[in-house]
Amino acid sequence: MTDQNQTLETIKDIRNIMDRSSRFLSLSGLSGVGAGVCALAGAWFANDVIAGSDAGKTAKAGTIRQYEHADGGLDMLHSFMGHRLFMIAAVTLISAIVVAVIFTYLRSSRQGIPLWSSTSQRLIWNVAVPLVAGGLFLLKLIEAGVYGLIAPGCLIFYGLALVNGAKYTLGEIRFLGYGMLLLGIISCWFPGYGLYFWAAGFGLLHIIYGIVMWNKYERQA
Amino acid sequence: MKNPIEQLQKVFDSRVRLGVMSALMVNDQVSFNELKELIQLTDGNLASHLKALEENGYIKVNKGFVGRKTNTTYAVTKAGEKAFRLHLDALEQMIKQMGK
């Protein structure tokens, strides 16, 4: 019946335009995989640095030393490995973003959708707000010497950012956000294992999410 | 029973106008160029459809500037939102009846 087909076609059109005009749908699954691989590499280097320091050993033994306020020892820790860890973190973050942008750029140009559009800007803004606020808060924690809460903090704020951003891109990213939040909250009770939780969240969850999304949306394309 | 086809809004009889309304329903405002990109239409064609919607009081036009370039944005009015919902309800009814 052509009438029915026409009506269904109309509804499909409406839905399609609502989606395309309000969400940035070119986010590539491979971006997730790429960011996850960067995170695992970063965690591996960071683990080397931490394992090489005394503070790392006591932290691994599960003491709550990390929660202490900056005393002499932690100040030394700060200058001794803070710098290298900070470099690793920065390089990891930048490479993850670059890799993610490249894969998403490739997908969007295949689809003929501009990368820099009002939908992508809205997505970036809504992800950036919780991330920047969280990032500043974490810097303050580092200053206070509360290293044990850095990894949980990263996971929690990133999770919140993803849940917030899910309204402006492929909705499934919400579940990645929930996963990050869950890991972040659990890791609060496992001081000394922050890096493992961090690697599980930023590395494994990203990769799993990326593969699932790639399978779902990009495989045949 | 009321014939749902009578409830269909005549103004929304075109794919372009429906497309414009759909985009405006989920965004506070959308620029002319964004609409053009979304619906893939020539300037003149889109402008005439927008004019029709405006004359019906379903959308409102906002002329502004980005730098020196004019930047015209569109937003849906209360009346437009209501008409669009009625139209969707009618479509839904039509499908339900066909299913029987």
Side-chain angles (χ1 to χ4, degrees):
Chain A
M1 209 156 119
T2 56
D3 225 25
Q4 179 166 19
N5 283 341
Q6 230 171 15
T7 312
L8 286 174
E9 203 58 39
T10 308
I11 289 173
K12 227 163 84 185
D13 270 358
I14 293 174
R15 203 186 160 131
N16 184 344
I17 289 194
M18 281 183 167
D19 264 357
R20 271 193 302 142
S21 67
S22 62
R23 291 164 183 261
F24 180 71
L25 298 173
S26 303
L27 203 63
S28 172
L30 296 179
S31 292
V33 176
V37 171
C38 290
L40 285 182
W44 190 72
F45 284 118
N47 191 39
D48 263 9
V49 174
I50 294 173
S53 73
D54 284 347
K57 281 171 195 142
T58 46
K60 274 222 180 100
T63 68
I64 51 163
R65 194 188 144 95
Q66 300 173 295
Y67 284 117
E68 285 169 21
H69 260 267
D71 57 9
L74 280 169
D75 255 355
M76 267 178 59
L77 169 73
H78 196 176
S79 51
F80 169 67
M81 59 171 232
H83 182 64
R84 275 187 66 194
L85 272 186
F86 199 77
M87 291 298 284
I88 292 172
V91 170
T92 305
L93 177 68
I94 292 167
S95 52
I97 291 175
V98 168
V99 168
V101 168
I102 288 173
F103 280 120
T104 290
Y105 171 72
L106 290 177
R107 186 174 177 208
S108 74
S109 56
R110 256 202 317 272
Q111 293 176 321
I113 295 170
L115 184 65
W116 189 245
S117 60
S118 62
T119 50
S120 68
Q121 286 164 34
R122 199 155 32 178
L123 171 64
I124 291 168
W125 174 253
N126 281 282
V127 169
V129 168
L131 270 193
V132 170
L136 293 174
F137 179 70
L138 291 178
L139 282 179
K140 202 68 201 163
L141 281 189
I142 291 177
E143 214 179 288
V146 196
Y147 299 103
L149 289 179
I150 302 301
C154 287
L155 287 163
I156 289 172
F157 282 110
Y158 184 56
L160 290 174
L162 291 182
V163 171
N164 197 43
K167 294 190 285 289
Y168 306 99
T169 180
L170 300 163
E172 290 89 337
I173 208 166
R174 176 181 306 276
F175 299 107
L176 180 61
Y178 292 150
M180 297 279 177
L181 278 175
L182 198 67
L183 274 179
I185 288 165
I186 294 172
S187 68
C188 288
W189 278 269
F190 292 90
Y193 295 91
L195 191 62
Y196 298 111
F197 280 96
W198 193 94
F202 285 89
L204 293 183
L205 282 190
H206 264 145
I207 292 173
I208 294 167
Y209 162 83
I211 291 172
V212 169
M213 294 301 276
W214 184 79
N215 249 319
K216 187 166 174 188
Y217 291 108
E218 293 162 73
R219 197 175 182 165
Q220 68 281 43
Chain B
M1 190 193 287
K2 235 178 0 184
N3 184 357
I5 295 176
E6 286 164 18
Q7 295 290 308
L8 287 179
Q9 311 290 307
K10 254 270 149 310
V11 210
F12 297 147
D13 224 13
S14 100
R15 277 194 65 214
V16 178
R17 290 177 201 169
L18 260 188
V20 170
M21 292 303 287
S22 310
L24 296 185
M25 286 293 283
V26 286
N27 290 282
D28 292 341
Q29 50 182 349
V30 184
S31 74
F32 187 86
N33 287 330
E34 282 166 343
L35 284 174
K36 210 172 76 181
E37 226 164 65
L38 270 169
I39 306 172
Q40 313 223 305
L41 218 64
T42 60
D43 282 23
N45 207 340
L46 178 59
S48 72
H49 282 294
L50 287 169
K51 190 107 205 139
L53 287 172
E54 194 192 341
E55 277 163 4
N56 271 280
Y58 289 170
I59 62 174
K60 49 181 183 268
V61 187
N62 203 334
K63 287 195 169 103
F65 285 89
V66 174
R68 278 190 199 163
K69 274 191 180 162
T70 53
N71 180 42
T72 311
T73 60
Y74 298 86
V76 71
T77 61
K78 277 253 159 19
E81 210 177 310
K82 202 175 153 201
F84 187 74
R85 287 192 195 287
L86 276 174
H87 188 77
L88 286 188
D89 288 345
L91 288 177
E92 192 186 0
Q93 287 301 321
M94 279 172 67
I95 288 186
K96 272 188 186 154
Q97 286 188 13
M98 283 179 231
K100 273 177 196 162

